[in-house]
Amino acid sequence: MYAVAIRGVGMTRFGKFPSRTMKDLATEAAILALKDAGVTGAEIGAVFSSNSLAGLLTGQESVRAQTVLGPLGLAGITVVNVENACASGSTAFTLAVQAVRHAEARYALALGFEKMAIGDTGRTVAAIATGRDVEESAGEAGWTFMDGYAQKVRHHMEVTGTTVEDFAAVAVKNRRHAALNPCAQYRDLVTVADVLGSRPVVAPLTQLMCAPITDGAAAIVVGPADATSPVVAASVLRSGSDPGTEAVTAVAMAAYERAGIGPDEIGVAEVHDAASPAELIAYEELLFAAPGAGVGLLRSGATEIGGRLPVNPSGGLVSRGHPIGATGLAMLHEVALQLRGEAGARQVNCRSGLVYNAGGLVNDAPAAVAVHVLRNP
Amino acid sequence: MYAVAIRGVGMTRFGKFPSRTMKDLATEAAILALKDAGVTGAEIGAVFSSNSLAGLLTGQESVRAQTVLGPLGLAGITVVNVENACASGSTAFTLAVQAVRHAEARYALALGFEKMAIGDTGRTVAAIATGRDVEESAGEAGWTFMDGYAQKVRHHMEVTGTTVEDFAAVAVKNRRHAALNPCAQYRDLVTVADVLGSRPVVAPLTQLMCAPITDGAAAIVVGPADATSPVVAASVLRSGSDPGTEAVTAVAMAAYERAGIGPDEIGVAEVHDAASPAELIAYEELLFAAPGAGVGLLRSGATEIGGRLPVNPSGGLVSRGHPIGATGLAMLHEVALQLRGEAGARQVNCRSGLVYNAGGLVNDAPAAVAVHVLRNP
């Protein structure tokens, strides 16, 4: 059993790129990660690849990774295509970490990519909805994940007194972060009024609180720990067992225990804000705040860059963008850069960091929840 | 690092079942495997699930495994959906073996399922073709994997003098095997004349030499080695590096070396005969016969049940059926039963066995090749 580190990271800019293909996005991210790690394609022993929608949107099912690996000189190695809806990237990462930890490979590449902007929003939104059991959806034409989030958000408001302005403030904060991130999809500052005045999606969610349609790719090279690279202290992936908050908290507690690092010691976090309110709820799910105290943590400014525990310094899913299969790896990319002290204008003070990535919804519980804890060596 | 065994196997009958769903097929196979292993759902620590076509054929992308696990009492554990075209089942198995070998889980379930008979053959065939790079296919409307096989077969005939009657004899032999297998899709005996007289597909392939459209599921419970269960001596999965034969041989050699068991010691094999001639060519690729000597091995009767090295005693892909995501696990199911001495009328004399499962085609090489070597403890 070897100590495992993130040895290299790479990502494309996220956005809507009519002229870019899944392949060229994936190749760019992978080349950047290999270069950052200082390893060649020939040194990679296994590839775990995450993509969620290509089968439905571009017709490329089945062997998505293999179609992008040729230019990287990757062949004759183990290649696995994985899927777990919006947690696909984390799934690829968890398997890459296990492969290196157990010496199945010296270096493994986790590579996530998604081409969502195909010029047909309805088709893209319908494809995303397959992260739910399609039989559950059958009686609810037009159901989207934002319906699921809105239900959870309304419940949280009732119980805690959090207001829609608080949720808008999350979106405003994360846009300020994204403005500092050259890879982010949206970088123009917005106000609470802008957020609340944007197109209603499902009450209380408005467009500027919802993750957009995004093209992009991100890649991580996992390898043996060394003197400088962020160490993977825990990488836990589970299928949600219980409806609601409990599933996420169970995974987080398992990750804290395995890492030997508690929520109080986390200095930076990237969390799954497919809708902005989910970030505030995650403060409580991840035990950064007591039940009902998430809103207080937000209002204190602690989760802004410069605060005690900056959350989503990359801009998060809503502002950095959310190319499904790439998202988990982009979150890890951000926390790795922060730990390395290479996050430029959005650098925070931290020695350990957390990634929380969720995907899908089956039986009213997340189909996959991943929590990764990273720390400096 | 723990010695790993196949602790339980289960599969549905394979065939075209208009009234059966992906979910009920998957559930049946999983329950049979759990029961065979004598473990409960609560003892399973990880699920690796393989399905290739549901996104395109039934609309269920993203979280296919999670939609079938509820009735099994499987929740709060690691669940990974994998894909590697026709080698998806082997991919799930390799990951399950690694999870148990390295104590990530005490027991892991590899679960493969496919619903292909949707009443629209054209749509099913088009979905299967996504096992190739769809950009490569773009200029070749109507390309199917049988075009790929036919090209390889014609080359083999030229070089070795193997005849189309020999290839038909493979189909006839495997139908004799399938007649003894209650789970097989096609069990009526056929003659060489029947095979050659069936509908031409791509010369020299005829319909009775090609894997059919099949619904079915198969499951394997992997766990620690014990006194009686078939041991996993090697499970090697690689993306094809070189066009043609070399990729398969490289993986087989790696598996033989890791297992410490050579091709001469293999007593039974299930090999990937998506087209019947591929079995004969595989005799050479797997080093059961020297280059050009595959046809001699067939003609000698060695690969028939009762011969020295029975190949595809289950009936193989063409006669047992080929539900894409389930196939690799059905192959392992057969070899495990043979090693346990529980194969009934098709029992062969063996102490070790091999599975060769291939999937997809990218840059004229198989996108994924898996070779597993099993042996009795």
Side-chain angles (χ1 to χ4, degrees):
Chain A
M1 200 136 108
Y2 296 87
V4 174
I6 291 182
R7 295 291 295 267
V9 299
M11 67 182 284
T12 66
R13 179 160 186 191
F14 284 4
K16 293 182 183 173
F17 307 120
S19 65
R20 299 204 65 176
T21 66
M22 183 177 90
K23 279 186 193 177
D24 89 87
L25 290 163
T27 306
E28 179 185 329
I31 288 172
L32 288 169
L34 290 169
K35 193 175 163 191
D36 185 47
V39 305
T40 64
E43 294 176 89
I44 299 290
V47 174
F48 299 92
S49 169
S50 52
N51 171 278
S52 189
L53 306 177
L56 296 174
L57 298 186
T58 74
Q60 184 67 65
E61 269 285 2
S62 304
V63 291
R64 295 168 241 185
Q66 286 89 338
T67 69
V68 307
L69 297 180
L72 305 172
L74 291 165
I77 63 174
T78 302
V79 177
V80 179
N81 294 279
V82 307
E83 256 191 87
N84 258 334
C86 300
S88 298
S90 279
T91 303
F93 180 73
T94 293
L95 294 175
V97 167
Q98 292 182 1
V100 173
R101 183 190 291 150
H102 303 304
E104 295 284 349
R106 182 164 171 82
Y107 294 99
L109 176 69
L111 174 59
F113 46 89
E114 208 74 60
K115 174 75 193 173
M116 296 171 71
I118 57 164
D120 181 344
T121 304
R123 216 169 124 224
T124 299
V125 170
I128 297 168
T130 66
R132 193 182 184 203
D133 186 334
V134 295
E135 288 183 17
E136 285 181 30
S137 311
E140 306 170 49
W143 183 93
T144 74
F145 271 89
M146 292 309 149
D147 292 277
Y149 277 107
Q151 189 180 1
K152 190 172 172 181
V153 168
R154 288 191 299 264
H155 175 75
H156 189 82
M157 291 173 77
E158 265 177 45
V159 172
T160 66
T162 306
T163 67
V164 69
E165 286 76 15
D166 292 313
F167 295 137
V170 174
V172 170
K173 165 184 80 75
N174 287 347
R175 187 60 70 85
R176 277 197 295 268
H177 294 174
L180 306 173
N181 183 357
C183 285
Q185 182 168 6
Y186 295 111
R187 304 184 61 196
D188 294 338
L189 297 178
V190 294
T191 65
V192 166
D194 290 335
V195 174
L196 295 179
S198 65
R199 182 173 64 78
V201 177
V202 191
L205 305 178
T206 63
Q207 184 163 24
L208 289 178
M209 293 184 212
C210 296
I213 287 171
T214 311
D215 301 330
I220 306 266
V221 173
V222 175
D226 61 7
T228 56
S229 302
V231 173
V232 183
S235 180
V236 179
L237 169 71
R238 289 188 186 166
S239 181
S241 51
D242 307 300
T245 303
E246 296 80 1
V248 178
T249 302
V251 177
M253 288 177 70
Y256 291 134
E257 190 184 338
R258 199 170 296 182
I261 292 174
D264 294 350
E265 298 168 87
I266 298 294
V268 64
E270 286 277 314
V271 313
H272 200 85
D273 63 333
S276 299
E279 176 181 313
L280 195 153
I281 297 172
Y283 298 164
E284 302 175 15
E285 294 172 321
L286 299 167
L287 309 177
F288 295 153
V295 65
L297 191 68
L298 176 78
R299 290 177 185 164
S300 77
T303 60
E304 175 112 20
I305 292 175
R308 175 173 63 78
L309 170 54
V311 175
N312 285 328
S314 73
L317 278 61
V318 173
S319 286
R320 183 201 56 225
H322 180 28
I324 311 283
T327 288
L329 297 167
M331 298 167 115
L332 287 154
H333 182 286
E334 177 69 13
V335 172
L337 279 193
Q338 293 285 356
L339 290 172
R340 283 158 49 167
E342 297 174 7
R346 61 190 192 285
Q347 182 64 48
V348 310
N349 180 24
C350 60
R351 295 181 53 196
S352 59
L354 176 143
V355 167
Y356 154 50
N357 182 204
L361 191 70
V362 176
N363 299 324
D364 289 325
V369 174
V371 174
H372 315 287
V373 177
L374 308 179
R375 63 170 173 78
N376 272 335
Chain B
M1 201 135 108
Y2 296 87
V4 174
I6 290 182
R7 295 290 296 268
V9 299
M11 67 182 283
T12 66
R13 179 157 187 194
F14 283 5
K16 293 180 185 175
F17 306 121
S19 65
R20 299 204 66 176
T21 65
M22 183 178 88
K23 279 186 193 177
D24 89 86
L25 290 162
T27 307
E28 178 185 329
I31 288 172
L32 288 169
L34 290 169
K35 193 175 165 193
D36 185 47
V39 305
T40 65
E43 293 176 89
I44 299 290
V47 174
F48 299 92
S49 169
S50 52
N51 170 278
S52 189
L53 305 178
L56 297 174
L57 297 186
T58 74
Q60 185 68 65
E61 268 285 2
S62 305
V63 292
R64 296 168 240 186
Q66 285 91 337
T67 70
V68 308
L69 297 180
L72 305 173
L74 291 166
I77 61 173
T78 302
V79 177
V80 178
N81 294 279
V82 307
E83 256 191 87
N84 258 334
C86 300
S88 297
S90 279
T91 303
F93 180 74
T94 293
L95 293 175
V97 167
Q98 291 183 1
V100 173
R101 183 190 292 151
H102 303 305
E104 295 284 349
R106 182 165 172 82
Y107 294 99
L109 177 68
L111 174 59
F113 46 89
E114 208 75 58
K115 174 75 193 172
M116 297 171 71
I118 57 163
D120 182 344
T121 304
R123 215 168 124 226
T124 300
V125 169
I128 298 168
T130 66
R132 191 182 184 204
D133 186 334
V134 294
E135 287 182 18
E136 284 181 31
S137 310
E140 306 171 47
W143 183 93
T144 74
F145 271 89
M146 292 309 149
D147 291 277
Y149 277 106
Q151 189 181 1
K152 189 172 172 180
V153 168
R154 288 191 299 263
H155 175 75
H156 189 83
M157 292 172 77
E158 266 177 45
V159 172
T160 66
T162 306
T163 68
V164 69
E165 285 76 16
D166 292 312
F167 296 137
V170 174
V172 170
K173 165 184 79 75
N174 287 347
R175 186 60 69 85
R176 277 196 295 267
H177 293 174
L180 305 173
N181 182 357
C183 285
Q185 180 167 6
Y186 295 111
R187 305 183 61 196
D188 294 338
L189 296 179
V190 294
T191 64
V192 167
D194 291 334
V195 174
L196 295 179
S198 64
R199 182 174 63 79
V201 177
V202 191
L205 305 177
T206 64
Q207 183 163 25
L208 290 178
M209 293 185 213
C210 296
I213 286 171
T214 311
D215 300 331
I220 306 266
V221 174
V222 175
D226 61 8
T228 56
S229 303
V231 173
V232 183
S235 179
V236 179
L237 169 70
R238 290 188 185 166
S239 181
S241 53
D242 306 300
T245 303
E246 297 77 2
V248 178
T249 302
V251 176
M253 287 177 71
Y256 291 135
E257 189 184 340
R258 198 172 295 184
I261 292 174
D264 294 349
E265 298 169 87
I266 298 295
V268 64
E270 286 276 314
V271 313
H272 200 85
D273 63 333
S276 298
E279 175 180 313
L280 195 154
I281 297 171
Y283 299 164
E284 302 174 16
E285 293 173 320
L286 298 167
L287 309 178
F288 296 154
V295 64
L297 190 68
L298 175 79
R299 290 178 186 165
S300 77
T303 61
E304 176 113 20
I305 291 174
R308 176 173 62 78
L309 170 53
V311 175
N312 285 328
S314 72
L317 278 60
V318 173
S319 286
R320 183 202 57 224
H322 180 28
I324 311 284
T327 288
L329 297 167
M331 297 166 118
L332 288 154
H333 183 288
E334 177 69 13
V335 172
L337 279 193
Q338 293 284 356
L339 290 172
R340 283 158 49 167
E342 297 174 7
R346 61 190 192 286
Q347 183 64 49
V348 310
N349 180 24
C350 59
R351 296 182 54 196
S352 60
L354 176 143
V355 167
Y356 154 51
N357 182 203
L361 190 70
V362 176
N363 299 326
D364 290 323
V369 174
V371 174
H372 316 287
V373 177
L374 308 178
R375 62 170 172 80
N376 272 336

